[in-house]
Amino acid sequence: MTEIELLKKALQSFTGMSEETFLLSEQYWQVKTYKKGEFYNDYQQVCKHLGFVIEGVFRTYYLDEKSADEKNVFFYTNNQIVVSYASFINQVPCHYYTQSMLHSKVIYIHYDKLKALYRQSHEWEHFGRLIAEQASNIALNRTESLLFQTPEQRYLDLVSQHPDIMNTIPLYHISSYLGIQGPSLSRIRKRISEK
């Protein structure tokens, strides 16, 4: 299956978009590969693209001013949208880095082309609303998980949302995302494996 066919299938499943409506966009999508460590969007740059991960893993992180540590905020894996959403919709500089963690491939659309599709089609407007709702839910769930969940619950949620991530990226990135130290992650993994 080609990248555009994978995207079409995902969007039709996500929004119920018709074949004819999807075809309006076909000429606008572009495929890009990213090397490990390459940025999808850099700090203080305006995010110009909304992407769909064909393969690979991306992380969004920020630098803690006090410790200079990188703090992982979000992960994006196969068949997920990757975008610095607030930067993208407002076309303002981003407060985060979004970086490829492996050799990755994305099919993406430029902000201007997506806005044109919104004006052209109610189904594309519907897509935009669903993406906004999803982005809001992801951000809210992430905030609430840090406030109300135990690290073990956050770990189980991460594995549920990104089933292959434990086998593809270093565990210190997982620890950073969960807001814990490496030894705590080891204990959590041991407890879960013993259940």
Side-chain angles (χ1 to χ4, degrees), residues 21 25-26 31 42 44 75 92 106 119 133 143 187:
T21 299
S25 76
E26 204 167 53
V31 175
D42 208 345
Q44 290 298 310
F75 291 117
V92 295
V106 168
R119 290 189 295 273
E133 288 173 1
T143 302
R187 285 192 294 274

Side-chain angles (χ1 to χ4, degrees), residues 18-19 29 32 56 60 65 67 72 90 110 112-113 115 118 121 127 138 149 154 170 172-173 180 185-186 188:
S18 71
E19 177 102 17
W29 294 95
K32 181 171 179 181
T60 291
E65 289 181 13
S67 67
N72 292 319
N90 298 308
H110 190 276
D112 293 338
K113 303 299 185 188
K115 292 295 274 188
Y118 292 167
S121 160
F127 166 81
I138 289 169
Q149 289 185 321
R154 290 196 295 274
Y172 67 88
H173 284 299
I180 59 175
L185 177 58
S186 296
I188 288 169

